[in-house]
């Protein structure tokens, strides 16, 4: 028996922070909408982050519209668990219409509407907002020999804490905040080597994530104006949160250039030098989780989906929010998601 589709003016796919920010503005505008989320419980990707992760900005600069994130009782920067608690409270406070666990497998064009297929049933919407994040598509670059490595390889997304690596020789790959924070704690229990593609940029102690959001906005504006954005810091720069500062002062944050190959028990640089290791931790980022949009065939040559702000050029009934700067300055951060969502919902109301 075929289940008839349900109708909504707007369907949001994903209830991480970006989906909630969209929901906040949609609710305020009185739009008929629903949010579908694949998770069993609130919090998006933050539910899966390693326990010691610290946000790179203080609570008041990591907040969604309408409600400030409370400062953590323990002081300092919020943890992943603090962020989950905040997002849980947020979606309840604003009574956002979230249905979970529901995975959107495919989005297709059906006449005037877009159909969001979820397995059990489809939702037919005038506008779809995709806010599915990146955590679900970890990225690991390819290096010769990596398949034959005899030790353990894991990605940031698999990392839970330092204990399994006690006493081991560990190579940490990547020059961003995740790599620096993981390296900082691993270096207490393991013999670590840090390798980065480019020399890592560690920000001065007094610069936190808030300044980075402003820098990201300036970078975005400069790029839009066709100006050279080099020299402007970005969200990849490393914020000196307390554990990173401590590791730096201990001398544990010395980076080597990227190796060029992997053997069963070591990494090898182009000049022939080597480092023996039992573990490689790839802190090499994520890619947008956009598989559900494949039936729409939106990717231009080169793999990108072109947008004007959040609106997809090849399918104007579809908006993307939260994947990176291409859908709004810092829109993949807690504070940036709200700014971009506000503008997006304004456009959608005009569209409806
Ligand atoms: P997500 O949190 O990934 O939420 C997407 C939701 O969509 C999830 O619930 C997922 O289950 C659901 N979903 C996915 N696919 C489907 C589907 N097909 N159907 C239905 N539901 C689906 N930002 C900051 O502002 N400050 C920080 O300090 C910070 N630190 C970070 C540290 C790390 C290690 C990482 C990886 C990111 C960090 N970020 C930080 C960036 C960003 O805030 C997070 O990545 C955040 O989780 C992105 O939120 P989102 O809502 O875009 O995506």
């Amino acid at each position: 028996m075929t289940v008839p589709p349900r109708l909504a003016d707007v369907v949001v796919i994903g209830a991480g922070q970006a989906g909630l920010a969209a929901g906040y503005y949609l609710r305020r505008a009185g739009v008929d909408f629903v949010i579908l989320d694949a998770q069993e419980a609130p919090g998006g990707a933050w539910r899966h982050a390693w326990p010691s992760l610290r946000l790179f900005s203080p609570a008041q600069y990591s907040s969604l519209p309408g409600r400030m994130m409370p400062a953590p009782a323990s002081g300092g920067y919020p943890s992943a668990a603090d962020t989950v608690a905040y997002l849980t409270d947020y979606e309840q406070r604003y009574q956002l219409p979230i249905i979970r666990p529901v995975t959107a497998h495919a989005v297709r064009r059906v006449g005037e509407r877009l159909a969001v297929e979820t397995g059990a049933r489809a939702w037919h919407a005038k506008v779809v907002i995709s806010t599915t994040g990146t955590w679900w598509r970890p990225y690991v670059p390819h290096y010769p020999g990596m398949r034959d490595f005899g030790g353990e390889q894991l990605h940031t997304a698999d990392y839970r804490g330092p204990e399994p690596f006690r006493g081991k020789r560990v190579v940490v790959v990547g020059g961003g905040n995740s790599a620096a924070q993981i390296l900082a704690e691993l270096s207490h229990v393991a013999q670590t080597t840090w390798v980065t593609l480019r020399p890592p940029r560690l920000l001065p102690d007094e610069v936190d994530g808030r300044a980075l959001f402003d820098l990201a906005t300036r970078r975005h504006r400069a790029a839009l104006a066709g100006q050279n954005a080099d020299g402007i810091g970005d969200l990849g720069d490393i914020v000196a949160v307390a554990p990173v500062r401590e590791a730096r002062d201990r001398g544990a944050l010395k980076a080597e250039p990227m190796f060029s190959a992997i053997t069963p028990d070591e990494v090898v640089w182009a000049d022939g030098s080597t480092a023996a290791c039992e573990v490689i931790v790839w802190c090499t980022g994520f890619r947008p989780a956009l598989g559900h949009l494949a039936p729409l065939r939106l990717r231009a040559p080169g793999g990108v989906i072109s947008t004007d702000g959040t609106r997809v050029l090849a399918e104007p009934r579809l908006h993307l929010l939260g994947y990176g700067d291409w859908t709004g300055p810092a829109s993949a951060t807690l504070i940036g998601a709200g700014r971009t969502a506000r503008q997006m919902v304004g456009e959608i109301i005009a569209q409806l």
Side-chain angles (χ1 to χ4, degrees):
M1 194 180 80
T2 318
V3 183
R6 290 176 75 173
L7 302 182
D9 281 351
V10 178
V11 170
V12 182
I13 307 173
Q17 64 204 33
L20 302 193
Y24 172 88
Y25 287 112
L26 289 167
R27 163 133 286 179
R28 218 169 65 155
V31 173
D32 162 42
F33 75 104
V34 66
I35 306 178
L36 310 177
D37 188 44
Q39 298 293 293
E40 298 279 342
W46 297 107
R47 300 180 70 228
H48 302 272
W50 64 99
S52 66
L53 179 150
R54 285 288 167 271
L55 295 196
F56 47 67
S57 52
Q60 68 268 35
Y61 296 109
S62 304
S63 297
L64 293 176
R67 168 122 177 96
M68 200 74 95
M69 186 192 288
S74 55
Y77 289 43
S79 65
D82 293 328
T83 311
V84 171
Y86 168 67
L87 296 178
T88 305
D89 171 72
Y90 189 92
E91 63 176 54
Q92 288 164 359
R93 175 172 293 255
Y94 294 109
Q95 297 184 347
L96 298 178
I98 299 169
I99 309 179
R100 59 164 71 90
V102 176
T103 299
H105 299 294
V107 179
R108 296 178 202 281
R109 297 180 181 92
V110 179
E112 297 287 293
R113 290 187 177 240
L114 291 175
V116 179
E117 295 176 0
T118 67
R121 71 175 339 138
W123 287 82
H124 285 192
K126 293 179 184 163
V127 171
V128 170
I129 304 171
S130 186
T131 64
T132 48
T134 60
W135 184 266
W136 330 97
R137 272 193 70 203
Y139 170 72
V140 176
H142 178 78
Y143 280 87
M146 67 191 296
R147 288 228 175 93
D148 301 322
F149 182 62
E152 183 184 353
Q153 298 187 65
L154 65 154
H155 185 271
T156 315
D158 311 311
Y159 180 79
R160 302 303 301 159
E163 272 316 308
F165 311 107
R166 184 172 285 278
K168 295 191 173 166
R169 290 167 296 186
V170 181
V171 173
V172 177
V173 185
N177 282 286
S178 305
Q181 287 193 26
I182 288 174
L183 178 77
E185 79 172 1
L186 275 176
S187 60
H188 283 292
V189 303
Q191 188 185 315
T192 49
T193 303
W194 188 20
V195 299
T196 63
L197 212 47
R198 284 172 288 281
R201 298 205 296 195
L202 192 59
L203 291 162
D205 289 1
E206 66 280 8
V207 179
D208 66 23
R210 175 176 48 129
L212 276 188
F213 299 127
D214 295 340
L215 291 170
T217 305
R218 274 170 52 204
R219 173 180 281 275
H220 183 75
R221 289 198 185 124
L224 284 182
Q227 292 160 359
N228 183 357
D230 285 351
I232 299 178
D234 67 30
L235 288 167
D237 291 354
I238 297 166
V239 177
V241 295
V244 168
R245 210 179 301 172
E246 184 276 330
R248 177 200 64 198
D249 295 346
R250 209 166 12 103
L253 291 193
K254 295 214 168 58
E256 307 289 339
M258 195 56 209
F259 52 74
S260 55
I262 301 172
T263 72
D265 54 7
E266 58 191 11
V267 294
V268 184
W269 281 268
D271 67 2
S273 58
T274 60
C277 56
E278 289 91 32
V279 182
I280 302 175
V281 188
W282 297 96
C283 303
T284 40
F286 298 83
R287 295 286 182 263
L290 296 172
H292 54 293
L293 302 180
L296 298 174
R297 299 182 175 277
L298 302 170
R299 290 188 188 279
V304 293
I305 297 181
S306 303
T307 60
D308 175 8
T310 56
R311 194 163 44 82
V312 173
L313 289 178
E315 177 45 83
R317 294 170 293 181
L318 175 66
H319 289 255
L320 307 180
L321 175 68
Y323 300 100
D325 279 350
W326 51 290
T327 69
S331 79
T333 63
L334 280 151
I335 199 169
R339 291 181 195 164
T340 308
R342 179 183 189 154
Q343 188 169 343
M344 174 187 73
V345 170
E347 267 184 53
I348 289 173
I349 288 162
Q351 232 175 320
L352 289 172

